[in-house]
Amino acid sequence: MIQLQTGGVYLYSPKGIDRERLMLVISAPGVLDSRRRFITGLTVLSTHDGDTLTVPITVGGARRYVNTTQPMRLIRDWFLEHHDVLSRQEMEAVRAMRRIAEDL
């Protein structure tokens, strides 16, 4: 099983669905260190979706985006490989937009 970290971007492959995608892990380190099967993440998009609560990030030197309004419960065992880690500033922007999104 792959070691996950908060702010990490990973390839996620749900079983039974032929659609791998990049996900940003936003669960707290305590959750990631536990035996919980589910963690929380956000889908990494290749283009901006026009939502004001979407945050630009850099993954592997390429511009990507994270819509903070759509957190997902993800199964820990379905993560395949690590791609990158967000900078401190990017993660702070994601957290700030998540707090705003919770008011929706």
Side-chain angles (χ1 to χ4, degrees), residues 5-10 22-27 39-44 57 66 74 79 86 91 94:
Q5 71 181 65
T6 305
V9 176
Y10 301 86
L22 291 179
M23 301 298 295
L24 169 65
V25 173
I26 61 171
S27 287
I39 58 106
T40 305
L42 298 165
T43 303
V44 175
I57 61 172
V66 176
L74 304 167
F79 285 90
L86 266 58
M91 198 59 202
V94 168

Side-chain angles (χ1 to χ4, degrees), residues 86-100:
L86 266 58
S87 69
R88 192 173 132 243
Q89 295 83 5
E90 289 173 324
M91 198 59 202
E92 286 175 6
V94 168
R95 286 185 179 123
M97 289 301 177
R98 275 293 309 134
R99 286 190 295 274
I100 295 169

Side-chain angles (χ1 to χ4, degrees), residues 27-92:
S27 287
V31 172
L32 297 176
D33 292 341
S34 75
R35 295 184 194 197
R36 294 185 182 276
R37 183 173 186 221
F38 295 97
I39 58 106
T40 305
L42 298 165
T43 303
V44 175
L45 308 169
S46 58
T47 59
H48 197 291
D49 61 0
D51 193 312
T52 58
L53 297 178
T54 295
V55 177
I57 61 172
T58 302
V59 177
R63 175 62 78 204
R64 298 287 184 252
Y65 303 89
V66 176
N67 183 318
T68 61
T69 66
Q70 301 170 2
M72 299 172 62
R73 282 184 62 178
L74 304 167
I75 296 176
R76 180 187 299 266
D77 294 340
W78 293 357
F79 285 90
L80 298 181
E81 61 189 42
H82 179 260
H83 278 251
D84 209 342
V85 177
L86 266 58
S87 69
R88 192 173 132 243
Q89 295 83 5
E90 289 173 324
M91 198 59 202
E92 286 175 6

Side-chain angles (χ1 to χ4, degrees), residues 10-27:
Y10 301 86
L11 183 63
Y12 184 73
S13 182
K15 301 293 185 247
I17 300 173
D18 190 26
R19 187 172 166 246
E20 293 180 346
R21 58 186 177 253
L22 291 179
M23 301 298 295
L24 169 65
V25 173
I26 61 171
S27 287

